[in-house]
Amino acid sequence: RELLPEWLRFVRGVVDAEDLSLNVSREMLQQDRQIQTIRKHLVKKVADSLKQLAADDPEEYRKFWLEFGPVVKEGLLDFEEKRDRIFDLVLAPSSENETDLVSLADYVERMSEDQESIYYIAGPKLDVLRRSPHLEAFKEKGIEVLFLTDPVDEVWVGQGPVTYKDKTFKSIGHGEVELGSDEDKEKAKEDLEKQEESYSDLLQALNAAIEDEVKEVRLSSRLKRSASCLVLEDGDLSPQLEAMLRQAGQEIPERKPILELNPSHAVVTRLGKRFEENPTDPRIGDSAKLLLGQAILAEGGQLEDPSGFAELVNKLMEETL
């Protein structure tokens, strides 16, 4: 076991060496300099062989990765490992390829000159990630997003900042979204500021209705078709990672997500008109709860009060049908 790290535990073989100590107790193996040297050479040799397999026979390597990929990525949790060596082996689904996996090297090669980050979205279900509202602005700009679906992904990307080929991994569900050239970013920022000024009072009313569930209600630059989505602050733990840590018995500080609204969506614009007509209309608060519930369901989450949400939906249907 001392000859290979845990993330290569699927490797089987024999090492022939003439200069090992005769005392082969576990304590000596852990401290023996020759053992450490052999270990380094073995890790490099296995990694190089896998990289060569990926180049020579991509289909065979894909089969290998589907079987052992999550195990290999455990090596990214060890800061003593050469991460780029492991990143060279990583494959992942992406928004640009519906049927196959892409390598990080290919992703970086396809990046535009003004793209500064490797964008990803993490979660347990690939089909849910592919339909995520967070993707909308990225698809509009033609920016590829990686889908990370293994439980270990939630951990290594959370050890940030994580970089590969001088590009930092960035979750599209955290923080603000700024895409395109500097000119595009500046224009998008100015447009959003004008819209936030126009919707300021409505946003305050919506926030008051769901302040126990969210940190803030604000307008979004990442939504193009959907009405709402949930966003976390940079540095916040994802719901999946929180659940994993709680299962491990760790205490997690409470955090609230941010509810972002699409200012161009018909629901939001009509809600704005209704608020102008009657700021105390009870349907304003109901709408806030509905938009929050939709955002939770869109990312595959679970509602705290499913029956209450169903009642709100039925109430809306009664009023409109």
Side-chain angles (χ1 to χ4, degrees), residues 123-251:
K125 296 182 179 180
L126 179 58
D127 57 340
V128 174
L129 297 183
R130 288 196 182 279
R131 297 194 300 269
S132 172
H134 294 96
L135 288 170
E136 293 172 2
F138 293 84
K139 288 184 177 180
E140 184 180 77
K141 293 285 188 180
I143 298 175
E144 186 173 10
V145 177
L146 298 175
F147 300 127
L148 305 181
T149 58
D150 294 318
V152 68
D153 292 327
E154 297 277 2
V155 185
W156 67 261
V157 294
Q159 294 180 330
V162 181
T163 61
Y164 173 68
K165 294 187 181 297
D166 298 324
K167 302 292 183 180
T168 303
F169 284 83
K170 180 172 176 56
S171 169
I172 66 172
H174 285 70
E176 300 279 359
V177 167
E178 296 182 340
L179 304 177
S181 63
D182 291 340
E183 184 178 345
D184 292 337
K185 293 176 184 178
E186 188 62 32
K187 184 179 185 305
K189 183 179 179 181
E190 292 176 358
D191 291 342
L192 195 62
E193 288 176 350
K194 292 178 182 177
Q195 291 170 324
E196 285 177 341
E197 185 176 347
S198 174
Y199 281 103
S200 175
D201 292 337
L202 172 62
L203 294 175
Q204 290 182 20
L206 295 173
N207 188 76
I210 53 175
E211 59 184 354
D212 291 337
E213 288 80 28
V214 302
K215 181 177 182 179
E216 178 188 2
V217 180
R218 70 187 185 195
L219 297 185
S220 178
S221 59
R222 76 187 81 214
L223 295 174
K224 301 303 175 182
R225 296 189 309 276
S226 301
S228 63
C229 72
L230 287 178
V231 178
L232 299 175
E233 293 276 23
D234 285 327
D236 282 353
L237 300 179
S238 69
Q240 293 81 16
L241 185 53
E242 283 189 355
M244 291 168 59
L245 293 176
R246 287 196 178 97
Q247 288 178 356
Q250 297 191 31
E251 293 187 6

Side-chain angles (χ1 to χ4, degrees), residues 271-297:
L271 194 57
K273 292 179 181 178
R274 184 173 294 279
F275 181 80
E276 289 179 2
E277 296 170 358
N278 183 7
T280 60
D281 191 326
R283 283 174 290 188
I284 302 297
D286 290 344
S287 298
K289 297 173 184 176
L290 285 172
L291 289 166
L292 174 60
Q294 289 176 358
I296 293 173
L297 293 174

Side-chain angles (χ1 to χ4, degrees), residues 314 316-321:
N314 291 334
L316 177 64
M317 293 176 66
E318 290 173 2
E319 294 173 352
T320 55
L321 290 177

Side-chain angles (χ1 to χ4, degrees), residues 25-52:
S25 68
R26 178 168 296 277
E27 182 179 355
M28 287 297 295
L29 281 175
Q30 291 173 342
Q31 299 176 358
D32 191 279
R33 182 175 299 176
Q34 284 83 11
I35 289 290
Q36 297 304 315
T37 300
I38 292 172
R39 176 188 172 106
K40 291 180 181 179
H41 283 294
L42 286 177
V43 171
K44 182 178 185 304
K45 183 65 176 178
V46 172
D48 289 346
S49 297
L50 290 173
K51 189 174 180 180
Q52 190 63 46

